[in-house]
């Protein structure tokens, strides 16, 4: 049985701040992110299954990633939990979608974070192969399962 990869693409707008960074990303600013999620598996062969011929229904993959990542992160501001606590408290009063993460919110760290969330939510018959997060038109970070297996 052939192993197949399927990919779904998502986009969302997100602001972030890179604390202590020596470039312009230390200021609050946003990016139009594009996220590509690739999973691997074998197409379902059960003739009685409504999903026969599919590794996973694209609709189901869409729902998982939308619920975990796109909806919460779209039009949010993501900051490190190491930000000055007084500033975090003040921002919480004024910013509805403020997400505090325990890492510097670079595209590299975001793909690690997103990969963990997606992997945990996938059904047992498929596996996360890689995710790619475009931060700008010319820059992306990737996480590959093969690179990260113990
Ligand atoms: Zn940035």
């Amino acid at each position: 049985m052939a192993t197949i990869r399927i990919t779904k693409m998502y986009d969302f707008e997100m602001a972030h701040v890179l604390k202590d960074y020596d470039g312009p990303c230390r200021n609050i600013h946003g990016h139009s992110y594009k996220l590509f999620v690739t999973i691997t598996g074998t197409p379902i062969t059960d003739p009685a299954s409504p999903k026969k011929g599919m590794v996973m229904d694209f609709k189901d993959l869409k729902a998982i990633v939308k619920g975990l990542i796109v909806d919460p992160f779209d039009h949010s501001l993501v900051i490190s939990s190491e930000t000055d606590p007084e500033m975090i408290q003040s921002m919480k009063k004024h910013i509805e979608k403020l997400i505090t993460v325990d890492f510097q919110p670079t595209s590299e760290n975001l793909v690690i974070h997103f990969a963990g969330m997606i992997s945990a939510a996938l059904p047992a018959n498929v596996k996360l192969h890689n995710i790619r997060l475009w931060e700008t038109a010319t820059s992306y970070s990737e996480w590959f399962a093969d690179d990260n297996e113990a």
Side-chain angles (χ1 to χ4, degrees), residues 69-83:
I69 297 166
V70 179
D71 288 347
F73 285 87
D74 186 39
H75 287 81
S76 71
L77 167 61
V78 179
I79 60 170
S80 161
S81 56
E82 290 181 4
T83 304

Side-chain angles (χ1 to χ4, degrees), residues 54-139:
M54 298 178 184
V55 171
M56 183 180 183
D57 192 333
F58 280 115
K59 181 162 53 71
D60 296 338
L61 181 57
K62 179 183 176 181
I64 288 172
V65 178
K66 188 174 181 295
L68 287 174
I69 297 166
V70 179
D71 288 347
F73 285 87
D74 186 39
H75 287 81
S76 71
L77 167 61
V78 179
I79 60 170
S80 161
S81 56
E82 290 181 4
T83 304
D84 174 3
E86 275 182 35
M87 198 195 290
I88 294 179
Q89 281 313 311
S90 169
M91 283 174 156
K92 276 184 180 164
K93 284 185 202 150
H94 305 286
I95 299 170
E96 186 193 338
K97 286 179 90 173
L98 179 70
I99 297 176
T100 308
V101 291
D102 60 359
F103 52 82
Q104 180 83 308
T106 58
S107 59
E108 293 92 327
N109 283 336
L110 287 166
V111 290
I112 297 168
H113 187 55
F114 292 165
M117 293 164 80
I118 296 167
S119 286
L122 289 174
N125 64 317
V126 298
K127 189 174 155 253
L128 185 61
H129 181 273
N130 71 286
I131 68 174
R132 174 184 292 186
L133 182 66
W134 286 88
E135 188 172 78
T136 70
T138 56
S139 315

Side-chain angles (χ1 to χ4, degrees), residues 16-18 24-25 27 29-31 33 105 135-136:
H16 70 165
V17 190
L18 299 186
C25 281
N27 298 300
H29 65 284
H31 296 282
Y33 288 92
E135 188 172 78
T136 70

